[in-house]
Amino acid sequence: VSWKRNRAITARRQHLKSVMLQIAATELEKEESRRETEKQNYLSEHCPPLHIPGPMAEVQELCKQLHAKIDAAEEEKYDMEMKVQKSTKELEDMNQKLFDLRGKFKRPPLRRVRMSADAMLKALLGSKHKVCMDLRANLKQVKKEDTEKERDLRDVGDWRKNIEEKSGMEGRKKMFETES
């Protein structure tokens, strides 16, 4: 009895499954037709139908002319691109050759050269150079005036003697007299 019951339950499940699939298929068809009608409505609202004023042969001829112009422009564009690619390749080759040539010769390390202004002018101007550019000779010599403090510092030999002289009231009196 139980195996008959199980078979009935299985048959019922399969029947329900097939019914559900049929309902789903019809729903999908309805959804598809609804979408198609919505698409048609949208296109009719937003894209009015094309009105061609002349006969169809003129329109076809116009299309052919436009296609010919497009082809000519594309060919010109292609030619330009090829020229650019060729020029770019030539530049890269020349740069590579230049780099190879630079790499073959070792550059000597540059040394700093000390040169006076006279020697530099002589090197630049050659024999035409007659002006003396001895800048140190043109500088004024300034004599340094000896200030009293510097004289005092030079005159003071032994620091102990200096302290003994300034100690006491007489020393302080001398300090005030020398400052003023």
Side-chain angles (χ1 to χ4, degrees):
V1 179
S2 69
W3 62 275
K4 284 185 179 180
R5 189 172 172 200
N6 284 342
R7 197 187 297 172
I9 292 174
T10 307
R12 181 156 173 76
R13 277 190 198 155
Q14 285 180 347
H15 176 69
L16 286 175
K17 193 175 184 182
S18 65
V19 169
M20 285 175 50
L21 286 173
Q22 286 175 352
I23 292 173
T26 56
E27 288 295 320
L28 281 175
E29 288 174 4
K30 287 179 186 176
E31 181 69 24
E32 188 66 32
S33 64
R34 187 183 58 80
R35 281 188 186 166
E36 188 62 34
T37 55
E38 283 180 10
K39 181 179 175 183
Q40 291 298 328
N41 290 338
Y42 181 84
L43 287 175
S44 64
E45 287 177 18
H46 292 88
C47 300
L50 184 65
H51 296 290
I52 302 170
M56 198 63 152
E58 288 180 16
V59 175
Q60 287 177 346
E61 185 63 33
L62 178 65
C63 287
K64 287 178 184 177
Q65 290 174 356
L66 290 176
H67 280 290
K69 287 181 181 179
I70 290 172
D71 290 341
E74 287 291 325
E75 286 176 14
E76 192 174 328
K77 176 185 160 195
Y78 179 78
D79 292 342
M80 294 284 192
E81 286 176 353
M82 289 299 115
K83 283 182 184 177
V84 168
Q85 285 180 358
K86 185 179 176 184
S87 299
T88 305
K89 188 176 181 196
E90 286 177 6
L91 276 174
E92 288 174 0
D93 291 343
M94 287 186 174
N95 282 337
Q96 185 63 38
K97 286 180 184 177
L98 186 65
F99 183 73
D100 291 343
L101 286 175
R102 273 193 200 152
K104 287 181 183 176
F105 304 109
K106 188 175 181 183
R107 293 183 189 156
L110 299 176
R111 287 179 275 139
R112 179 166 281 177
V113 178
R114 298 191 115 207
M115 198 182 254
S116 67
D118 288 329
M120 203 176 291
L121 282 173
K122 200 171 213 175
L124 288 173
L125 300 175
S127 62
K128 296 177 186 175
H129 171 65
K130 292 180 182 173
V131 179
C132 182
M133 285 294 290
D134 188 11
L135 296 175
R136 289 186 183 166
N138 295 338
L139 291 176
K140 293 181 182 178
Q141 289 192 355
V142 179
K143 283 194 174 183
K144 197 174 185 183
E145 294 182 19
D146 291 337
T147 60
E148 288 182 28
K149 289 183 181 179
E150 289 176 357
R151 270 192 233 130
D152 287 343
L153 288 174
R154 268 188 276 134
D155 293 342
V156 175
D158 190 12
W159 59 275
R160 281 175 248 137
K161 187 192 274 185
N162 191 22
I163 289 188
E164 287 173 7
E165 287 177 6
K166 290 186 179 181
S167 66
M169 286 305 284
E170 291 176 19
R172 293 187 191 273
K173 189 176 176 184
K174 284 182 191 175
M175 280 177 57
F176 283 112
E177 288 172 3
T178 57
E179 286 179 9
S180 58

